[in-house]
C-alpha cells in the first residue's frame, strides 16, 4: 500500500474544534531553569483525545475526548466518509465514560464511573461506582450493567455476544501481587438485551483463565492447597484440566520474579491450529524470558522462537486485521518497546507508516477494517504526546492529539542509557535532555511500583521538567520488570538500600559525563517513587539539594501490619517480600530525625493505593521532630493519573516548579 500525506476534513484535528481556550505558546530554544517554556495550563490538561477506534467494517470512527479543562469525557461517532461533523454525540450523565471500543460493526462496549463517596473506605477501594455499558449504533440505544467488566474476547463467530470478565486487578499500575491468581468470573454478555450467562467461575486453583475465539477455556493458572502455583491446559472441547510445566513453590522467594512480574505464561493460541500455543517462559535456567511454542496435544514445549540479550520477551502481537489472529511480533523493552517480527507484510506496513508519520516513535495500528484498507494508527514518543491518524483509501490524515497545544519543537529528546551501579550491576535508564547547554540541574525521577516495567517514550512529568530547564533521569533500578531475573531479584530486601544506590549512581554517572551540575540535583517520585524520595531526604552523605515526595509510601511497615502482616494464609515468599518493603528495609517515618535537605510532600486526599494516613502520620512525625517542610493535599484526588483532574495537576505542577526554583536548597535548583 502506498501512503500519501493528503488532507482529509477532520473536525477533531484543531484546537478550536475541541473547545479549548488555551493559546499554544511559541517554542523556546533555550530555557532558564525553573521557568517552563510551555505554560503550566497546557501540561495540566487531561488527555484531550483519549482514544480513537475504527469499526470493523471501516464505516465509523469512535472518538473518546474531552472538550474543556474541567469537562467530562464524552464519545463522538463519525462516518469515515464525512468527518466534517459528528454523526452521534454520547455521554453517560451523571456518570463519566472512561473507556469505549467497537466489538462489532454497530456495537460499542465501554466503562463509566461516578464519584459516590466522600472518603476511601479501605485500601484499593475508591470513591467511585463503576458500570459497563453497550451502545447499539443502529438503534441509538444504551444499555447498562453494574460492575467494571472487561471484554476479553469479541467472539468473532458469535456476533451477538462478547466474553467479559470481572476485574482481576485492584489498580492500574499492575502492582497487585495476587493479580495472577485472583479468581475471575467469566460471562457471555448478550449485546441485544444485556443479559449475562456465566461461562466459568474462577477458583483459587484455576484463578485466571484464557479462552480461545470460540469461547473455550484453554489455559489457567492458580494456587493449590500446598501453596504451589500450577499451570493447566485444555484441548478444545475438553471438560477437564491437564496440569503441565513446572510447579512453583510460593514459599520460595526464588520464584517471586515469576509471581510478581506477571508476564510469564500463555501469550497466544494459534487459532488456525488450536493445539499450538505460544508461551513466554524463562526455561532451562535462563535469566530472561523468551517465547516458546507449546503443543497442547502432547503437553510439551517445542521450539524457542525468540530470545533477546539482557531483556525479557514480555508480550506478543497479532495481525492488525480483525479476525486474523496470526502471531505477528514479540515485544521486549529497550530504547522503546522493541519488536521481533514474524510477519514480513505487517513489518513492511509499519515501516511505511514510520516513514510517513511525523516524529514516529512507538507506532501501533490500534484498529483496522476487515478489508485492511482503513485503519487508525497511534504514535507516542519524545516529540509526540500521543497522536491519532486515519489511513483510508491510501491517504493519511491526523485526527487528533492527547495534547494538541504542545508543539514538537517544545519537547525534549529522550536517550536510553545503561550505567554501572557501585556493585557492578548494569542499570538501564532514560535521560530527558532540556534545550541549551549543560551541565544541567538534574531531577532523578524513579517510577512507581516498584516491580513494573518502564519504557519511556513520552512522559509528561519528564517533559514538563525538561521544559523548565531540568535534565531528568528515570532509572530502571533493580526490581524494575523486563530486564531479567537477576535484575529483579537484586532488589529483594533492598528497599532503601541497593535500589536507592541505583538511583544515586545514575545521577553520579551523569555528573561524570559532564552533563549534570553536582550541586544541583533533586529527586521527585510518586508512589514507590515517593517512598524513594523520602529515603533520599535522609541519606548521608547526600547528593541531593531537595526532594519531592508524591503519594509516598511513608510508613510501609504500617501498611504491612494492616495488610499481609495480619492476613492469614499468605505464602511465605510473598509475606517476606511485603515485610521487607519497610519492616526490614528503610522505613521513612522512622528516619525523620535524619532528614537533612528540604522536603516537599504532596498527597491525594482520596488515595486508594497509598492511603492518606501515610501523609498525615509522616507530617506529624516530621513536625514533632522539629523539622520544617512543605505539605500539600490534592483535594478529592486519587492515586492514579487518570483520576487527576486539570485543577489537581495545575495545583501540583505550579507548586512543584515554584518549589524547585526557590526552595530547593540555597538559591533553588
Amino acid at each position: 500500500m502506498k501512503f500519501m500525506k493528503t488532507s482529509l476534513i477532520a473536525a477533531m484535528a484543531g484546537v478550536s474544534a475541541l473547545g479549548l481556550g488555551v493559546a499554544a505558546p511559541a517554542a523556546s530554544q533555550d530555557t532558564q531553569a525553573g521557568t517552563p517554556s510551555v505554560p503550566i495550563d497546557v501540561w495540566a490538561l487531561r488527555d484531550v483525545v483519549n482514544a480513537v477506534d475504527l469499526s470493523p467494517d471501516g464505516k465509523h470512527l469512535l472518538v473518546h475526548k474531552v472538550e474543556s479543562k474541567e469537562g467530562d469525557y464524552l464519545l463522538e461517532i463519525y462516518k469515515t466518509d464525512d468527518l466534517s461533523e459528528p454523526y452521534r454525540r454520547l455521554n453517560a450523565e451523571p456518570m463519566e465514560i472512561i473507556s469505549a471500543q467497537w466489538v462489532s460493526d454497530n456495537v460499542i462496549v465501554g466503562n463509566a464511573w461516578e464519584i459516590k463517596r466522600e472518603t476511601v473506605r479501605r485500601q484499593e477501594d475508591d470513591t467511585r461506582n463503576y458500570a459497563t455499558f453497550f451502545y447499539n449504533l443502529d438503534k441509538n440505544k444504551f444499555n447498562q450493567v453494574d460492575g467494571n467488566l472487561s471484554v476479553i474476547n469479541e467472539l468473532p463467530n458469535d456476533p451477538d455476544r462478547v466474553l467479559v470478565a470481572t476485574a482481576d486487578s485492584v489498580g492500574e499500575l499492575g502492582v497487585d501481587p495476587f493479580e495472577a491468581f485472583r479468581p475471575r468470573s467469566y460471562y457471555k454478555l448478550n449485546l441485544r438485551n444485556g443479559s449475562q450467562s456465566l461461562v466459568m467461575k474462577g477458583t483459587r486453583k484455576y484463578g485466571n483463565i484464557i479462552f480461545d475465539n470460540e469461547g473455550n477455556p484453554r489455559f489457567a493458572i492458580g494456587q493449590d492447597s500446598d501453596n504451589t502455583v500450577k499451570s493447566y491446559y485444555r484441548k478444545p472441547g475438553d471438560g477437564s484440566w491437564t496440569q503441565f510445566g513446572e510447579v512453583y513453590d510460593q514459599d520460595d522467594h526464588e520464584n517471586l520474579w515469576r509471581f510478581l512480574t506477571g508476564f510469564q505464561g500463555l501469550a497466544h493460541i494459534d487459532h488456525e491450529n488450536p493445539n499450538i500455543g505460544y508461551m513466554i517462559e524463562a526455561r532451562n535456567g535462563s535469566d530472561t524470558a523468551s517465547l516458546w511454542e507449546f503443543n497442547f496435544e502432547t503437553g510439551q514445549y517445542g521450539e524457542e522462537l525468540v530470545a533477546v540479550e539482557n531483556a525479557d520477551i514480555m508480550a506478543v502481537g497479532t495481525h492488525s486485521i480483525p479476525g486474523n489472529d496470526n502471531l505477528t511480533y514479540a515485544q521486549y523493552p529497550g530504547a522503546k518497546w522493541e519488536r521481533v517480527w514474524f510477519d514480513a507484510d505487517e513489518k513492511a506496513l509499519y515501516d511505511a507508516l514510520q516513514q510517513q508519520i511525523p516524529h514516529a516513535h512507538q507506532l501501533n495500528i490500534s484498529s483496522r477494517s476487515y478489508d485492511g484498507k482503513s485503519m487508525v494508527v497511534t504514535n507516542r514518543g519524545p516529540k509526540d504526546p500521543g497522536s491519532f491518524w486515519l489511513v483510508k483509501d491510501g491517504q493519511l490524515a491526523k485526527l487528533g492529539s492527547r495534547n494538541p497545544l504542545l508543539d514538537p519543537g517544545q519537547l525534549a529528546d529522550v536517550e536510553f542509557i545503561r550505567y554501572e551501579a557501585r556493585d557492578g550491576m548494569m542499570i538501564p535508564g532514560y535521560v530527558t535532555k532540556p534545550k541549551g547547554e549543560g551541565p544541567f540541574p538534574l531531577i532523578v525521577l524513579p517510577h512507581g511500583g516498584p516491580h513494573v516495567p518502564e519504557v519511556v517514550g513520552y512522559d509528561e512529568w519528564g517533559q514538563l521538567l525538561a521544559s523548565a530547564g531540568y535534565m531528568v533521569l528515570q532509572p530502571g533500578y533493580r526490581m524494575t520488570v523486563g530486564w531479567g531475573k537477576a535484575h529483579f531479584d537484586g532488589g529483594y530486601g533492598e528497599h532503601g538500600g541497593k535500589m536507592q544506590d541505583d538511583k544515586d549512581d545514575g545521577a553520579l554517572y551523569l555528573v561524570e559525563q559532564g552533563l549534570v551540575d553536582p550541586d544541583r540535583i533533586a529527586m521527585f517520585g510518586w508512589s514507590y517513587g515517593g517512598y524513594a524520595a523520602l529515603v533520599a531526604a535522609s541519606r548521608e552523605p547526600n547528593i541531593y539539594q531537595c526532594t519531592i515526595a508524591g503519594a509516598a509510601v511513608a510508613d510501609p511497615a504500617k501498611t504491612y501490619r494492616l495488610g499481609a502482616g495480619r492476613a492469614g494464609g499468605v505464602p511465605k515468599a510473598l509475606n517476606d517480600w511485603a515485610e521487607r518493603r519497610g519492616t526490614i528495609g528503610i522505613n521513612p517515618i522512622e528516619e525523620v530525625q535524619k532528614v537533612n535537605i528540604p522536603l516537599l510532600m504532596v498527597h491525594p486526599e482520596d488515595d486508594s493505593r497509598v492511603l492518606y494516613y501515610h501523609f498525615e502520620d509522616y507530617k506529624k512525625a516530621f513536625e514533632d521532630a522539629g523539622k520544617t517542610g512543605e505539605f500539600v493535599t490534592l483535594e478529592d484526588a486519587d492515586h492514579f493519573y487518570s483520576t487527576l483532574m486539570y485543577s489537581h495537576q495545575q495545583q501540583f505542577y505550579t507548586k512543584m516548579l515554584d518549589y524547585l526554583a526557590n526552595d530547593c536548597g540555597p538559591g533553588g535548583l
Side-chain angles (χ1 to χ4, degrees):
M1 181 183 289
K2 183 179 179 182
F3 294 100
M4 298 174 60
K5 289 186 184 178
T6 185
S7 248
L8 294 177
I9 300 173
M12 310 87 82
V15 173
S16 60
L18 292 168
L20 295 169
V22 181
S28 172
Q29 297 305 309
D30 205 349
T31 301
Q32 181 181 356
T35 305
S37 61
V38 178
I40 287 173
D41 281 359
V42 174
W43 299 107
L45 295 174
R46 299 173 81 186
D47 288 344
V48 174
V49 178
N50 187 54
V52 180
D53 197 35
L54 180 70
S55 62
D57 60 9
K59 294 181 179 180
H60 295 93
L61 278 173
L62 173 159
V63 180
H64 187 224
K65 58 182 279 193
V66 65
E67 294 187 324
S68 65
K69 294 173 182 176
E70 302 288 357
D72 285 347
Y73 279 106
L74 54 84
L75 296 182
E76 288 185 340
I77 299 171
Y78 291 79
K79 294 182 177 180
T80 54
D81 59 4
D82 180 11
L83 297 176
S84 61
E85 60 182 2
Y87 174 60
R88 297 269 167 77
R89 283 172 57 88
L90 311 168
N91 61 40
E93 291 183 356
M95 304 190 83
E96 179 185 24
I97 295 172
I98 56 174
S99 67
Q101 67 181 91
W102 293 101
V103 295
S104 69
D105 292 343
N106 66 339
V107 176
I108 294 166
V109 173
N111 302 98
W113 66 15
E114 180 185 9
I115 294 177
K116 296 293 287 186
R117 291 169 291 281
E118 290 295 323
T119 59
V120 174
R121 299 169 295 190
R122 59 187 177 277
Q123 187 152 7
E124 309 304 351
D125 184 28
D126 65 28
T127 59
R128 296 167 175 82
N129 285 354
Y130 293 81
T132 301
F133 71 86
F134 57 100
Y135 170 76
N136 188 300
L137 181 66
D138 293 340
K139 297 180 179 179
N140 192 21
K141 182 180 179 182
F142 267 106
N143 283 284
Q144 177 180 312
V145 293
D146 291 335
N148 195 16
L149 303 175
S150 58
V151 176
I152 61 170
N153 196 302
E154 295 177 10
L155 302 176
N157 297 321
D158 187 354
D160 291 335
R161 295 174 179 82
V162 293
L163 191 65
V164 297
T166 54
D168 63 341
S169 178
V170 289
E172 65 179 32
L173 287 182
V175 293
D176 173 10
F178 301 102
E179 179 176 339
F181 320 120
R182 191 177 299 281
R184 310 177 75 184
S185 295
Y186 301 87
Y187 302 88
K188 284 186 178 179
L189 176 64
N190 189 307
L191 299 175
R192 292 183 179 274
N193 57 28
S195 64
Q196 301 174 63
S197 56
L198 180 67
V199 174
M200 181 168 287
K201 190 175 181 62
T203 64
R204 186 174 184 266
K205 187 173 182 178
Y206 310 113
N208 216 324
I209 301 168
I210 295 176
F211 294 76
D212 63 21
N213 281 353
E214 301 302 319
N216 298 308
R218 301 299 307 282
F219 173 84
I221 186 171
Q223 305 172 83
D224 219 331
S225 57
D226 59 357
N227 269 349
T228 58
V229 175
K230 298 175 182 177
S231 299
Y232 306 87
Y233 72 90
R234 284 187 184 185
K235 291 179 283 189
D238 276 2
S240 60
W241 294 102
T242 300
Q243 183 189 328
F244 77 99
E246 293 187 48
V247 175
Y248 294 92
D249 184 358
Q250 290 187 94
D251 291 333
D252 185 352
H253 85 266
E254 285 295 315
N255 294 323
L256 284 171
W257 178 52
R258 184 181 181 91
F259 302 151
L260 294 175
T261 57
F263 64 87
Q264 294 190 58
L266 181 65
H268 186 58
I269 298 169
D270 188 330
H271 294 287
E272 292 185 356
N273 182 358
N275 285 320
I276 298 298
Y278 302 97
M279 297 282 183
I280 296 176
E281 299 278 358
R283 305 190 68 236
N284 305 324
S286 174
D287 182 63
T288 56
S290 49
L291 184 66
W292 296 80
E293 188 177 277
F294 181 80
N295 190 310
F296 287 102
E297 186 70 34
T298 65
Q300 299 296 313
Y301 286 88
E303 180 185 0
E304 183 182 38
L305 300 177
V306 180
V308 295
E309 189 176 2
N310 299 323
D312 297 309
I313 299 297
M314 297 190 68
V316 300
T318 57
H319 201 281
S320 57
I321 294 180
N324 183 343
D325 285 310
N326 290 335
L327 190 68
T328 303
Y329 61 81
Q331 186 165 283
Y332 63 96
K336 59 180 180 179
W337 286 111
E338 309 287 357
R339 289 167 176 164
V340 178
W341 291 91
F342 304 120
D343 188 310
D345 290 338
E346 280 283 278
K347 182 179 185 302
L349 174 58
Y350 271 80
D351 287 345
L353 291 165
Q354 190 88 18
Q355 295 299 314
Q356 294 293 330
I357 291 177
H359 308 290
H361 185 77
Q362 199 74 63
L363 285 178
N364 283 291
I365 300 173
S366 58
S367 54
R368 194 173 178 185
S369 60
Y370 291 123
D371 62 13
K373 295 180 180 179
S374 301
M375 67 191 76
V376 170
V377 182
T378 64
N379 180 53
R380 197 168 175 87
K383 298 288 187 177
D384 185 348
S387 57
F388 302 87
W389 302 79
L390 176 66
V391 175
K392 186 176 185 293
D393 300 327
Q395 299 177 343
L396 176 70
K398 186 175 182 180
L399 296 173
S401 171
R402 293 186 182 274
N403 194 330
L405 302 186
L406 284 174
D407 183 90
Q410 299 162 328
L411 297 174
D413 292 325
V414 176
E415 180 183 353
F416 175 60
I417 64 170
R418 288 183 184 270
Y419 60 90
E420 188 173 354
R422 64 192 68 180
D423 66 352
M425 180 172 282
M426 296 304 296
I427 307 298
Y430 300 87
V431 179
T432 304
K433 297 182 174 181
K435 299 182 187 303
E437 297 295 328
F440 299 101
L442 174 71
I443 309 293
V444 178
L445 176 55
H447 61 78
H451 56 287
V452 297
E454 181 180 52
V455 175
V456 176
Y458 176 81
D459 183 273
E460 182 173 280
W461 290 348
Q463 290 289 344
L464 163 67
L465 291 165
S467 81
Y470 302 109
M471 179 169 278
V472 179
L473 169 65
Q474 292 171 264
Y477 51 82
R478 64 196 75 198
M479 199 174 274
T480 302
V481 172
W483 308 102
K485 184 176 187 297
H487 191 85
F488 179 88
D489 286 348
Y492 182 72
E494 293 293 342
H495 287 69
K498 292 180 181 179
M499 290 170 67
Q500 202 75 19
D501 293 342
D502 293 344
K503 304 169 183 67
D504 296 2
D505 291 345
L508 296 174
Y509 169 80
L510 295 176
V511 170
E512 291 171 3
Q513 301 303 305
L515 296 171
V516 165
D517 182 340
D519 296 321
R520 302 174 71 196
I521 304 175
M523 182 180 285
F524 155 52
W526 191 271
S527 195
Y528 163 82
Y531 162 89
L534 291 180
V535 172
S538 62
R539 293 207 113 189
E540 188 65 46
N542 209 322
I543 67 170
Y544 301 101
Q545 277 59 62
C546 76
T547 186
I548 301 173
V553 183
D555 190 355
K558 182 174 181 178
T559 299
Y560 170 75
R561 292 193 302 270
L562 294 176
R566 70 177 185 184
V570 177
K572 184 178 187 305
L574 288 173
N575 182 74
D576 288 349
W577 174 85
E579 185 177 19
R580 278 162 173 75
R581 296 188 73 182
T583 306
I584 296 174
I586 299 298
N587 189 359
I589 201 167
E590 297 174 357
E591 302 279 314
V592 292
Q593 287 284 3
K594 298 179 183 179
V595 172
N596 51 62
I597 56 175
L599 167 68
L600 168 63
M601 196 171 184
V602 178
H603 209 100
E605 181 184 31
D606 296 331
D607 197 320
S608 59
R609 172 58 53 83
V610 182
L611 295 180
Y612 193 61
Y613 69 74
H614 286 274
F615 178 81
E616 292 178 306
D617 292 356
Y618 189 89
K619 181 175 183 289
K620 183 178 186 305
F622 196 79
E623 292 172 346
D624 287 348
K627 301 289 183 177
T628 302
E630 295 195 47
F631 296 85
V632 176
T633 296
L634 302 179
E635 294 183 3
D636 299 324
D638 196 353
H639 190 82
F640 306 107
Y641 178 79
S642 61
T643 70
L644 298 180
M645 302 295 108
Y646 169 81
S647 59
H648 298 137
Q649 298 189 112
Q650 184 187 49
Q651 177 191 3
F652 175 39
Y653 296 166
T654 300
K655 181 61 184 177
M656 177 169 64
L657 292 181
D658 177 74
Y659 183 81
L660 288 171
N662 299 302
D663 300 303
C664 183
L669 199 66

